[in-house]
Amino acid sequence: MQTVVLGTSGTTASDVVAVARQNARIELSAQARSALATSREIVDALAAKPDPVYGVSTGFGALATRHISPDLRAQLQRNIVRSHAAGMGPRVEREVVRALMFLRLKTVCSGHTGVRPEVAQTMADILNAGITPVVHEYGSLGCSGDLAPLSHCALTLMGEGDAEGPDGTVRPAGELLAEHGIRPVELREKEGLALLNGTDGMLGMLVMALADLERLYRSADVTAALSLEALLGTDKVLAPELHAIRPHPGQAAAAANMLRVLAGSGLTGHHQDDSPRVQDAYSVRCAPQVAGAGRDTMSHARVVADRELASSVDNPVVLPDGRVESNGNFHGAPVAYVLDFLAIAAADLGSIAERRTDRLLDKNRSHGLPPFLADDAGVDSGLMIAQYTQAALVSEMKRLAVPASADSIPSSAMQEDHVSMGWSAARKLRTTVDNLTRIVAVELYAATRGIELREGLTPAPASQAVIAAARAAGVQGPGPDRYLAPDLAAAEAFVRSGGLLHAAESVTGPLA
């Protein structure tokens, strides 16, 4: 099993994915333990002084004006966790909870939060035991961090609330901790606040969305190339010299990918009559431009994610010179913007893929393919309703592309009067990524059928490899009408698992 070692810095996106999705074990480095101990000494020293310090000896948010006496401070820290664990709605996915817990632990280990080493170790122990707190869909405004989601995680740390065990059963957290020999923590000054105040949920979802979109964008290049073949399109528009004069790196990468998939094709440039094809429709000809713009958007989002991974998001923070200072670094705007930007780009990629699918099914625009790619059009409906399903997914993606980060709603008696809505941006991006997977799967289904209906013409070796792998995975080829949902589910699984990409790359080598 992979092990991720947490220091005071250096956490990577691959570390997040490994812990969230692959159950990698977590170890705290000696450096992290030392930093934790040093910052805690600073907090303990401030707690012993009569002067009020936010988060150490005061209330929180709009209640920060009250000085809290030493005998009430442990209760204060417990209370903030209990009161802030106020989420509602469906449970959040296990991988999201593991990502946000891991990222909060990453910040705790930075030595800027004042949390004791034993609290950090308990967080690691819970993750390593496969215990997952129950976190709900609604409760975060993306400012002061993802408060409610992180509070539900901190509640488990205290042995309270509900959590899911490694067997998938939801039970009282205290029981699960006891079974794994984990002692619940008793929070001290600042620790409750430090466990709640970060952008960890939205960042975790950003990191995982980027991992998924990287695969999906390459997969979409493959299906765009297959559609171009099925439509007897020209690959001349993919020539590198054409993309060099508009030097967007993502565009060049997408065009190069398509060209590699189409290498050796006997379908490109053919026509069903004597009229030469001057140029293809935008959905075919501009595929690299649209996919490339999305790729460049992802590049920007990766920069933001990497910066956030290098950050210590808390309020207040413990500085090396011994100060504990309030700040606004918990505001989720940087992450929220790119989450929304990715949803916009993904919606456009899904939209252009649907237009190619529709073209494949329309006998007036498909250059000789049967209506709806049906076996006996009129008796058979072919892929007519598969395109309806794809269109419905695209329509939802367009609605999900409306930015959450353009909204704000005041809270905490107007103390928190401008919020990022980054958690909401992340949640809708997850739906967008799922929808894009299905849209690419429908295009794959239509394009492979279209290629196989071009009798007498030989597709590219990479296309042949994709078709063979898809058929082996249960994605059936042309024929009379049949129950279509299982075929589409098989196509979705083929795309989601990376099977499509693996099949193409078995001929082309790694695509960009």
Side-chain angles (χ1 to χ4, degrees):
M1 181 181 290
Q2 182 179 347
T3 298
V4 172
V5 179
L6 276 176
T8 57
S9 62
T11 301
T12 66
S14 60
D15 292 335
V16 177
V17 173
V19 171
R21 292 180 166 173
Q22 298 155 20
N23 299 313
R25 290 189 60 80
I26 302 162
E27 292 182 3
L28 307 187
S29 70
Q31 177 195 38
R33 293 180 187 280
S34 175
L36 285 160
T38 299
S39 68
R40 186 63 208 180
E41 289 174 2
I42 294 171
V43 171
D44 286 341
L46 289 171
K49 294 181 178 180
D51 301 326
V53 177
Y54 177 69
V56 176
S57 53
T58 70
F60 309 117
L63 302 175
T65 55
R66 178 177 171 182
H67 183 263
I68 308 299
S69 61
D71 61 309
L72 293 176
R73 290 175 189 173
Q75 181 181 339
L76 170 68
Q77 300 300 321
R78 288 194 301 271
N79 285 351
I80 190 176
V81 172
R82 290 168 176 166
S83 65
H84 285 44
M88 295 181 74
R91 282 180 59 195
V92 171
E93 303 86 355
R94 180 178 187 270
E95 65 177 23
V96 172
V97 178
R98 286 184 61 83
L100 75 91
M101 282 188 70
F102 172 69
L103 287 167
R104 182 78 319 226
L105 177 56
K106 179 270 300 181
T107 290
V108 164
C109 288
S110 70
H112 290 293
T113 67
V115 169
R116 288 169 293 153
E118 52 265 42
V119 176
Q121 183 60 56
T122 304
M123 295 172 73
D125 290 343
I126 289 172
L127 283 164
N128 290 340
I131 297 171
T132 307
V134 170
V135 174
H136 299 280
E137 181 87 16
Y138 302 105
S140 173
L141 300 179
C143 203
S144 288
D146 292 316
L147 287 174
L150 283 164
S151 297
H152 282 277
C153 294
L155 201 64
T156 296
L157 199 65
M158 292 164 49
E160 300 181 16
D162 293 328
E164 179 186 296
D167 63 353
T169 302
V170 174
R171 297 167 53 197
E175 291 181 9
L176 287 167
L177 295 188
E179 282 185 6
H180 290 84
I182 301 171
R183 179 178 296 178
V185 299
E186 295 184 11
L187 299 177
R188 289 169 46 181
E189 291 93 343
K190 194 184 178 301
E191 289 181 332
L193 186 60
L195 294 175
L196 315 186
N197 211 330
T199 56
D200 308 292
M202 63 185 91
L203 175 59
M205 286 186 274
L206 172 61
V207 168
M208 290 187 288
L210 284 169
D212 294 336
L213 287 169
E214 182 179 352
R215 182 191 69 251
L216 277 172
Y217 268 80
R218 289 187 289 158
S219 299
D221 289 341
V222 175
T223 58
L226 295 176
S227 291
L228 186 151
E229 268 194 301
L231 291 166
L232 305 179
T234 176
D235 58 1
K236 291 182 178 179
V237 296
L238 305 174
E241 57 270 24
L242 294 175
H243 299 277
I245 60 177
R246 193 190 190 195
H248 293 288
Q251 175 181 322
N257 284 348
M258 290 180 66
L259 203 56
R260 290 170 67 183
V261 172
L262 292 168
S265 174
L267 279 75
T268 56
H270 281 271
H271 310 288
Q272 78 275 20
D273 52 38
D274 294 331
S275 301
R277 186 86 57 84
V278 177
Q279 57 185 11
D280 293 308
Y282 283 10
S283 60
V284 178
R285 189 176 6 137
C286 301
Q289 284 76 10
V290 171
R295 270 186 166 78
D296 292 340
T297 300
M298 284 196 294
S299 294
H300 170 58
R302 284 192 201 95
V303 169
V304 172
D306 287 344
R307 288 172 181 163
E308 200 74 2
L309 284 168
S311 302
S312 297
V313 178
D314 193 17
N315 179 47
V317 292
V318 180
L319 296 174
D321 61 7
R323 287 179 295 150
V324 175
E325 296 285 2
S326 294
N327 65 91
N329 284 340
F330 50 73
H331 199 288
V335 183
Y337 292 166
V338 293
L339 288 163
D340 280 332
F341 201 174
L342 288 171
I344 292 168
D348 201 31
L349 185 65
S351 179
I352 198 170
E354 184 276 329
R355 288 294 81 206
R356 289 190 295 266
T357 303
D358 182 68
R359 184 166 289 272
L360 285 164
L361 272 54
D362 185 351
K363 70 180 183 64
N364 297 311
R365 295 180 291 140
S366 66
H367 305 288
L369 291 171
F372 303 105
L373 304 180
D375 186 63
D376 184 4
V379 175
D380 294 315
S381 295
L383 306 191
M384 179 190 296
I385 308 304
Q387 185 269 328
Y388 283 32
T389 299
Q390 190 187 41
L393 290 164
V394 170
S395 182
E396 184 179 57
M397 287 180 73
K398 291 175 181 177
R399 293 192 296 272
L400 292 170
V402 176
S405 59
D407 186 28
S408 177
I409 189 164
S411 57
S412 193
M414 294 299 287
Q415 175 74 1
E416 298 170 8
D417 58 354
H418 185 275
V419 297
S420 75
M421 303 307 298
W423 173 272
S424 299
R427 296 306 296 165
K428 69 185 183 66
L429 179 59
R430 284 182 68 82
T431 303
T432 291
V433 170
D434 277 344
N435 284 356
L436 181 59
T437 303
R438 298 178 182 114
I439 289 164
V440 171
V442 175
E443 182 180 18
L444 166 75
Y445 192 55
T448 54
R449 181 180 284 207
I451 288 172
E452 289 185 309
L453 290 171
R454 296 291 189 187
E455 297 180 0
L457 297 174
T458 304
S463 302
Q464 295 179 51
V466 168
I467 293 170
R471 301 297 174 252
V475 185
Q476 297 188 46
D481 279 357
R482 57 181 171 267
Y483 178 26
L484 211 54
D487 277 12
L488 296 179
E492 179 185 348
F494 185 58
V495 174
R496 191 181 298 277
S497 69
L500 164 63
L501 196 57
H502 177 74
E505 291 182 334
S506 69
V507 176
T508 64
L511 296 174

